[in-house]
Amino acid sequence: VTGLPIRHVGERFQRSNDTISRYFCKMVTIFASEPFYSKHVSLPFASSTTTVHPKIMRSHRFWPYFKDAISAIDGSHIPASLPLHDHAAYHNRK
């Protein structure tokens, strides 16, 4: 949940990295399994109230990338990193 490395989680709960990794894999398997996933995860339908902002729909720059997007959970953050050779192109960007 916090995006901490296994090492930090292991220190917090006083367990080895191997134990933390093993239980993390078990939890991912449980969350992705059919009984849990089908009961607790629901994707928005096309008739949902979540629509793409008109500014994005009219933009030739953004629409090709967002036209097939379903939606995102509010407040979700996905850590991403660029290859080292691309760092200069994105320097000082948000």
Side-chain angles (χ1 to χ4, degrees):
V1 172
T2 61
L4 291 175
I6 289 176
R7 160 173 59 90
H8 290 150
V9 176
E11 288 175 11
R12 167 66 176 92
F13 293 103
Q14 296 295 303
R15 298 289 184 257
S16 71
N17 293 347
D18 182 56
T19 301
I20 300 297
S21 178
R22 194 170 347 112
Y23 279 97
F24 177 79
C25 289
K26 286 181 182 183
M27 295 304 294
V28 168
T29 303
I30 290 169
F31 293 147
S33 67
E34 186 56 36
F36 183 89
Y37 190 84
S38 61
K39 182 177 179 182
H40 297 286
V41 176
S42 62
L43 297 175
F45 297 104
S47 63
S48 176
T49 59
T50 59
T51 58
V52 178
H53 193 276
K55 183 176 179 180
I56 293 174
M57 288 180 77
R58 290 189 302 262
S59 170
H60 296 292
R61 180 177 175 202
F62 296 120
W63 184 243
Y65 302 104
F66 289 98
K67 66 180 178 182
D68 296 325
I70 297 172
S71 71
I73 298 171
D74 290 341
S76 62
H77 297 278
I78 300 171
S81 58
L82 295 168
L84 191 57
H85 63 276
D86 287 339
H87 278 208
Y90 294 92
H91 187 68
N92 288 336
R93 302 271 194 247
K94 291 182 180 179

